[in-house]
Amino acid sequence: MGVFLRISSRMDYLIEKANWRDFVDLYRLEKVVFEQDAWPWFDLLIVLTFPGFVRLKAVHGDGGGMIGFVAGELRRGDGAGWIVTLGVLPEYRRKGIGQALLRQCERLLNSRRIRLCVRKSNLPALKLYQQEGYVVFTTWANYYHGGEDAFVLEKILPG
Ligand SMILES: CC(C)(COP(=O)(O)OP(=O)(O)OC[C@H]1O[C@@H](n2cnc3c(N)ncnc32)[C@H](O)[C@@H]1OP(=O)(O)O)[C@@H](O)C(=O)NCCC(=O)NCCS
């Protein structure tokens, strides 16, 4: 299992490849992080088991459980790697973990074009993505529960 060590001035944590054994931790994290937008359990199982997904978890450097998760998928139809989910537990936010998970996932997707979608009102995520070089590619109307639109963001990595 690959381990990507991150020691920051703000906290020590590890980024590791995730697999089906992380299902229970991911299920719990998903409920806390995404609330109404939480994926059903079978979608989480798919993301942890199907080939073609990059799945990474952040774990506390002291050996605790999962504190963050990212998954990405290469979609050959549109020639882009998609970040399909990214979340960090509330008490571990603003320590660089979301950014580190995103960067590592982008790297492993190995695609020049990366896309993702985000609620238009999700300012923390929009700030992170803007800082990481994402720009608005298009909008999907009524995409989320409650009818909120999604921004589809895109980042072109240097070739
Ligand atoms: C979005 C999310 C993953 C960010 O994770 P995080 O670990 O807190 O992010 P980081 O600490 O790596 O932040 C990196 C930068 O993003 C920006 N940022 C992150 N959260 C922010 C906030 N609440 N307000 C303003 N800027 C923010 C800042 O520029 C930050 O750098 P700084 O802390 O040096 O100022 C986290 O807030 C989260 O899990 N949110 C709920 C789930 C979600 O919305 N996921 C995205 C769905 S598309």
Side-chain angles (χ1 to χ4, degrees):
M1 176 187 292
V3 176
F4 314 92
L5 183 62
R6 282 282 180 285
I7 300 177
S8 79
S9 53
R10 293 185 277 187
M11 196 190 135
D12 294 352
Y13 58 95
L14 303 174
I15 295 179
E16 299 177 343
K17 291 189 174 169
N19 61 42
W20 63 270
R21 290 187 191 87
D22 297 301
F23 174 75
V24 173
D25 275 359
L26 179 59
Y27 185 78
R28 287 192 188 124
L29 180 136
E30 181 79 8
K31 288 251 178 280
V32 174
V33 167
F34 288 103
E35 299 170 346
Q36 70 200 27
D37 291 330
W39 285 0
W41 66 267
F42 46 88
D43 284 355
L44 299 178
L45 204 53
I46 285 172
V47 104
L48 284 174
T49 55
F50 272 34
F53 282 95
V54 171
R55 41 212 165 220
L56 299 171
K57 60 181 176 178
V59 296
H60 200 288
D62 293 342
M66 183 187 291
I67 58 178
F69 182 79
V70 66
E73 181 190 21
L74 207 54
R75 295 183 187 162
R76 302 205 187 278
D78 54 15
W82 284 77
I83 304 293
V84 296
T85 185
L86 170 68
V88 175
L89 288 178
E91 59 271 39
Y92 294 101
R93 289 182 189 161
R94 299 307 292 270
K95 299 176 190 302
I97 297 171
Q99 180 193 61
L101 283 167
L102 180 63
R103 289 184 179 181
Q104 200 65 253
C105 191
E106 288 172 354
R107 196 176 69 77
L108 294 175
L109 278 170
N110 198 23
S111 171
R112 273 204 69 210
R113 189 182 301 273
I114 308 281
R115 290 184 185 157
L116 56 84
C117 56
V118 57
R119 278 183 181 268
K120 277 188 168 178
S121 64
N122 190 344
L123 298 181
L126 284 167
K127 187 82 204 308
L128 167 64
Y129 297 138
Q130 182 189 36
Q131 184 180 294
E132 292 302 302
Y134 286 83
V135 295
V136 176
F137 171 69
T138 189
T139 300
W140 287 342
N142 298 315
Y143 182 73
Y144 288 104
H145 291 297
E148 188 172 345
D149 297 349
F151 279 136
V152 180
L153 306 184
E154 182 180 76
K155 174 178 179 177
I156 310 288
L157 293 153

